[in-house]
Amino acid sequence: MSPSPSVLAVSRIAYLASDVVINSLSSAGPSPFASAFNALAASPHTRAAVKDLPFGADAGASLLRHRSAARLLSYTTLAHPQALNNLLLHLPELSSTPTVFHIAVGSDLSDALVLLSSLPFVLYSRTAQQAHDHALLASRLAFTESIAVLHIFHLGDVNETFDSLDEDSVPAFLLSEKRSLSRSEQKPSTDPAGLLQTYQSAALATVSLLRRPLRPFAQHGASEPHTVVFTLGRATVSTDIEGVAFVDVALLKPLPSSAILGTIPPSTTRVIVLEQVHRWSMKWTPLYLEVASAIQQSELPSPPVVQSGVLGDASSLSGSDIEAFLQRAASESPSARLSLGPSPSSTEAAPATPHVPRHESAYTKMLHNLFSDRLEILNAPELVASQGQAATTPEFALGRARGDIEEREELVSAVQDLLRDSTVSLEIHALLSRWLGARDDGLKSKRLGEELVAAIQADNLSSPAAQKILQLRRLLPALSRWIIGSDAWAYDLGASGLHHAVASKLNVNILILDTTPYTSRNTVDPHRRKQDVGLYAMNHGDVYVASTAVYSSYSQVLQAIMEADRYDGPSVVLAYLPYNSEETPALEILKETKLAVDSGYWPLYRWNPAREREGKEPFSLDSDFVKNELQAFLDRQNHLSQLVRSKPEIASELVGSLGENLKQARKQRAAQAYNDLLAAIDAPPLTVLYASDGGKAEKVAKRLATRGKMRGLSTTVSTVDSISVEDLAKEEMVAFVTSVAGQGEFPQNGRSFIKALNALAAKGERPLTNVNYAVFGMGDSHYWPRFEDAHYYNKAGKDLDARLEQLGATRFAPLGLGDDQDADGPETGYKAWEPLLWKALGVDAIEVKEAEPEPITNEHIKVASQYLRGTIAEGLEDTTTGALAPSDTQLTKFHGIYQQDDRDIRDERQAQGVEPAYGFMIRVRMPGGVCLPEQWLIMDQIADEHGNGTFKITTRQTFQFHGVIKRHLKSAIQDINRALLDTLAACGDVNRNVIVSTVPSLSKLHRQAYDFARRVSEHLLPRTTAYHEIWLDKKLVAGDALKDVEPLYGQFYLPRKFKIAVAIPPNNDVDVFANDVGFIAIIDDKGELAGFNVTAGGGMGVTHGNKKTYPRIGDVLGFCTVEQGVEIAEKIMLVQRDNGNRADRKNARLKYTIDRMGLDNFKAAVEKLLGYQFQPARPFSFDKNIDEFGWITGQDGRHHFTCFIENGRIQDEPEKDFKTGLREIAKVHKGAFRMTANQHLIISDVATEDLPTIKGLLAKYKLDNLAYSGLRLSSSACVAFPTCGLAMAESERYLPILIDKVEKICEENGLRNDSIVMRMTGCPNGCARPYLAEVAFVGKAPGSYLMLLGGGYYGQRMNKIYRETVTEPEILAILQPMIKRYALERHEGEHFGDFVIRAGYIAPTTSGKEWYDRMGGEGQHREISVGA
Ligand code: SF4
């Protein structure tokens, strides 16, 4: 095809302006661009390197490959759905690169407009001259702004002419302007007005060179029109019609509403938008959407009617045609789609068969030669013509494979049915059974299938089974099913169809071609996450994987392909084929392959899980070198910790607790090695299986396995779900250990297995007749105290025991039950059960002399971590899993990071065979909860860019981000650091965020208390440099890490978390008594801060059913001066460091230390370290622990507004755009933000002159709405589901719903504005301080809560358990009469918590140790089943 003037004009500018031009060749015939570039290359002004890509090749990947080497890239192509759809995948990455996409269109813009939303600038050219000028403008924009520009231009006709610039002026014009900051340094503006300005300044510069106008719109026609017609397309309607104005659009993006409205005069009553989009598949066309929304936003008193239409070929239209069209439009309803001019012929749209690049046929030919008509390429290019573009995707191919496999199962059933038919001939009978026996053999199944079909036809069999066989004869040969794809599938693996294929367990083979040449591997953008598909697939454990290179070892490829075909399950064959273009000579490919293989960049290997099952080595290395990552995988080290390196004997323990999916492949190898070892001992085997949510049952199971080994048994241990019922049936002796979840359910890692058992039992099958088993269940007989709930106790263990018996297994030891309520907890029951096991196995007489290996505890992990390093850095590099090693997840807490997973989809992910959706919670350290507007803006951005788009104000006055995936962790921490904040010690066994009363009215005191809190926080910070090293890439200590010292904490840090609060009476909003250490500000006669009363020993965490755990409020130790405060905090912490219980984390908080030592002894120990005594405590009084909402003016005349943020969640919701609103406030606010410990927010320090602005924004975003009930304003909830790993029930998502209902009861009784402090947490850990609320709910199981009553209104008294299990109807039934009585009988000023005690519902709690005394209600309100 010879190039049109438009193509010539565009090619010339692209050639002169760019360093590299990527040109996609056409699907049919020669490319007009290629001809133009060839002609240009012959000129003396050689500029760009032009790379032709075969039609259908991935242009996006090619552009990304060149982007780092080119100052300006251009891409040229004729619009074709295949070329453009492929490109679409890469546009998010390409949009911030200096790239111009020149897309030539015919009479339909539909294909090109698909790219519209992904790029910031889009120009449209109708004529050759406009195409020339826009090409220059687009290059200028892309070059100076480092941004991608889409230029869509009409192919035009051969008679057009255009004026062109001389060659030298093009590069000179571009280079005359200094380039802006690159987009990686500068956030791209998404604001259309800002983008328009950028366009205008580039256009102005271009105009000054061209001396021709360049405008977003060309307007002509009437000046005061009643109708305005927008056109986007080739047809320019030049006829003058009275009252009609035409707007020809040349700039499609950015298109701010103001610019559109500027083209619609006030006289306009009708707007028609005509676009050349004949194959647009969505309801609304792009320009129409822009125009209609601009008019909608205009708030015009009588907006014009807007109509949409398709613009056909308008070249032959006369004025009267257009008038007739306008009349038609006036009579149509506004929603009708109009059309002007004839449409182009529909043949233009037929999808063409994609071109398979010449080199790639090297592999496809091998497949054809090996399998000939047995070969089925599931996503063959030929399918595109009939199935559309999706036919080449892995999702499509997988769907086909699934369908085929199901049909073949039907075919097998039909053969079996016919086999049972006594009327068929002996010959057919023999053929049927031979085919059945050879159905998985490629050659035999084909031959026998053909004979079978011939015989059935010859005998004229008409039975349904025979007919079915004929109908499905295509599937008689065992097909070799292949999906062929490119390395583009290696990006975003987890979300791709490739992942589904790998995880499907279907018998499909995947051939992935990697074409990146070795020498250009580093020019591929390092920020793109191209994952190692081989490693990824191997981690699934049951996938055949081979890495091959045909130009290195032909025979290895053959072997791999044949092994993949034979493997019964998914296979992945990676095939290396480095080439840049179709013209790349074979010698070049050979050279690149050799370099890649010899250097280890592309190792040749095969991983065959089938061999492992036969007891052979599954891995064959076919080249000399192996990649480090692969080596790490094979060594089963997977970047395991320095802990492992320094203590190799505990490595197996740690590996044993890795995530199930990551562990899968490794487990097989480990099991094999271990079995080999044990086989030599010739001991009876024992398989230990456990199901455990919290880790207790896992520990017991592992200890059991260790003891078994020490008795010479050949023992293996794994989770219940890791074994199938079929595999279990092959085991001889199996011991199960299970805990129980929720209401008698199985723990997560045993649920699939128990479901399979239930299904078999329902069918009446008995597959386990060879299995001997014993079950030990662990539960709490008091967890469900009511008689009717008693059967939930140890239900999982009991059910499993019964089910195994039902399925034919033989019990070799009676069911053992461990009860948390026994004197020694579950150990009491276990000690009786274990000897029965040894007896039954005949090893009870063996004396075990060696000490059992010490279990690994947090204390071991801390001391071996080299000051909190562990292997966090290595774990971050490991792209094969979204998780970190278990020991590292204990350490990251000290860095303010918790590993979590989305519990809402945990079951679904497990069913899919993929690891949980891991995400991390990041907590910021922000003493006193004060942050500046600039910091707020960064937090807001972090939530969007790295988290789940929301963030949370916590009960410790700081920010928490959820859902941060591993690869975003480091950048999120670095961004937090950019805001001059950090996350060090926000969690972990250290002093955590120090909190301070917010009291806006007492500005001066707040400042002093805040300064004090900051000093305490800084003083007690860990000194390890690991944080800076791992997250900020700063090596602060020369040499190795061992030079770190922790003067306060030592290598073991604290036994447990440590919390400090500073309260400023009369508001106890920080719940000072709930903290390990509290400082209560004492004000002198002059209103100055005289010092603090110091409290110690508060803490909230409890374990359900474990009465050794209890909440406690702090005791007042005495008074200290402000100057003494920091030292006192330190010494209290040191006494706890040295005396806290390090053997039992559940008993390790300071509260237990004080109760164990006695308060006086504890105080004496602190005073001894201080060298002086506390002064006597001074009087103080609190009157509440909730926030005061609304505006308050402080002593310094500054204004403060406390917003109500329900449960602290900063997010945009319908009608409540709080996140956006706070962002807008942060942009103009000159004061600060203060988080409250009740999870609300104060816009603080607003100057009087700024009040109107802030008030305006608060009103605009409804942040000033405080019209909530007293109950809601006094409520708070922790996060719980879906992110918190400890949650047993909903909290943050449920409390607002419960309040809706309790609020109604309050309203009915006239208590709408009365404050009742109600709190909820998802587990007894107590993050929202529930034990100090007047009424509280603590999660036990989904929908079930512990109910507590009687807390003091200002946090001075703990509440007490009123009911051990309540569901919502019970909560409402309990509260209804109670609230009514409160309304009628309360004394003046009496709070609800005090009332329920006086009215005899519940006894007061006088101390932590007495917390359980008299629980369950008083007198007539006592629950009968309470066993306290
Ligand atoms: S109280 Fe429990 S459920 Fe709630 S956030 Fe804390 S640990 Fe998670």
Side-chain angles (χ1 to χ4, degrees), residues 122-295:
V122 182
L123 307 173
Y124 173 69
S125 309
R126 291 172 172 73
T127 63
Q129 187 64 64
Q130 207 177 12
H132 172 273
D133 296 353
H134 272 162
L136 188 65
L137 170 58
S139 303
R140 167 90 177 196
L141 257 176
F143 180 80
T144 55
E145 299 301 314
S146 280
I147 202 161
V149 181
L150 172 61
H151 174 213
I152 304 171
F153 67 99
H154 197 275
L155 271 170
D157 57 56
V158 287
N159 302 322
E160 282 185 273
T161 56
F162 64 95
D163 288 342
S164 58
L165 287 173
D166 67 76
E167 275 97 350
D168 293 333
S169 56
V170 174
F173 170 64
L174 291 183
L175 295 171
S176 67
E177 184 67 13
K178 217 168 147 268
R179 172 173 281 202
S180 302
L181 282 178
S182 78
R183 290 280 144 179
S184 57
E185 294 159 65
Q186 176 191 291
K187 291 283 164 202
S189 165
T190 47
D191 166 28
L195 287 172
L196 185 67
Q197 253 178 19
T198 308
Y199 160 85
Q200 280 163 339
S201 61
L204 207 63
T206 315
V207 167
S208 63
L209 176 71
L210 296 171
R211 301 284 158 203
R212 279 185 292 277
L214 279 173
R215 295 197 192 101
F217 309 107
Q219 292 171 262
H220 52 101
S223 57
E224 286 192 3
H226 52 73
T227 301
V228 174
V229 181
F230 283 83
T231 64
L232 174 62
R234 168 73 166 168
T236 301
V237 185
S238 52
T239 319
D240 272 346
I241 299 171
E242 202 187 328
V244 180
F246 293 90
V247 181
D248 301 331
V249 177
L251 177 68
L252 261 167
K253 208 173 164 193
L255 210 47
S257 300
S258 54
I260 296 174
L261 293 172
T263 64
I264 306 173
S267 56
T268 312
T269 56
R270 180 173 304 278
V271 171
I272 301 173
V273 184
L274 293 173
E275 293 160 88
Q276 231 160 30
V277 284
H278 302 280
R279 280 184 289 109
W280 191 253
S281 53
M282 280 162 278
K283 183 166 183 193
W284 305 116
T285 48
L287 182 60
Y288 170 79
L289 272 182
E290 296 291 340
V291 175
S293 78
I295 289 173

Side-chain angles (χ1 to χ4, degrees), residues 761-842:
K763 283 195 212 162
E765 293 185 17
R766 291 172 62 80
L768 304 181
T769 43
N770 292 327
V771 180
N772 297 292
Y773 76 96
V775 176
F776 183 72
M778 293 166 66
D780 179 354
S781 60
H782 200 79
Y783 201 83
W784 303 106
R786 290 189 299 205
F787 177 73
E788 62 271 30
D789 296 336
H791 63 287
Y792 294 142
Y793 166 61
N794 249 323
K795 185 166 182 302
K798 291 181 204 162
D799 285 354
L800 176 64
D801 184 69
R803 196 63 82 225
L804 290 165
E805 184 181 35
Q806 200 179 349
L807 295 174
T810 309
R811 196 180 286 109
F812 71 86
L815 170 68
L817 295 179
D819 185 355
D820 283 350
Q821 297 301 319
D822 283 342
D824 209 3
E827 279 298 296
T828 308
Y830 183 80
K831 278 181 197 152
W833 180 76
E834 193 191 286
L836 300 175
L837 224 65
W838 305 141
K839 191 154 191 248
L841 288 159

Side-chain angles (χ1 to χ4, degrees), residues 419-480:
L419 207 49
R420 285 191 283 269
D421 185 341
S422 55
T423 61
V424 299
S425 68
L426 280 179
E427 185 209 352
I428 290 183
H429 199 272
L431 277 171
L432 286 167
S433 56
R434 283 171 64 204
W435 181 87
L436 215 46
R439 66 181 186 270
D440 292 330
D441 183 313
L443 294 175
K444 282 190 195 161
S445 61
K446 182 171 180 297
R447 181 173 50 76
L448 290 167
E450 284 165 2
E451 289 176 28
L452 183 59
V453 168
I456 290 174
Q457 284 173 335
D459 280 14
N460 219 356
L461 293 186
S462 60
S463 69
Q467 289 305 308
K468 190 81 184 175
I469 293 169
L470 292 180
Q471 184 198 336
L472 297 176
R473 71 175 84 171
R474 175 180 74 84
L475 298 169
L476 281 165
L479 295 178
S480 187

Side-chain angles (χ1 to χ4, degrees), residues 889-907:
T889 61
Q890 295 304 320
L891 299 173
T892 54
K893 292 180 186 173
F894 291 76
H895 302 239
I897 297 162
Y898 269 72
Q899 180 174 302
Q900 305 181 324
D901 70 278
D902 188 335
R903 297 183 60 185
D904 284 350
I905 55 169
R906 213 187 247 179
D907 284 343

Side-chain angles (χ1 to χ4, degrees), residues 156 351 868:
L868 309 181

Side-chain angles (χ1 to χ4, degrees), residues 227 270 272 307 324-334 338:
T227 301
R270 180 173 304 278
I272 301 173
Q307 291 175 286
F325 163 76
L326 292 170
Q327 273 174 13
R328 247 189 350 267
S331 62
E332 289 279 10
S333 88
L338 308 170

Side-chain angles (χ1 to χ4, degrees), residues 1278-1280 1284-1289 1291 1321-1328:
C1278 74
V1279 183
C1284 178
L1286 300 179
M1288 297 169 174
S1291 180
T1321 57
C1323 84
N1325 208 21
C1327 294

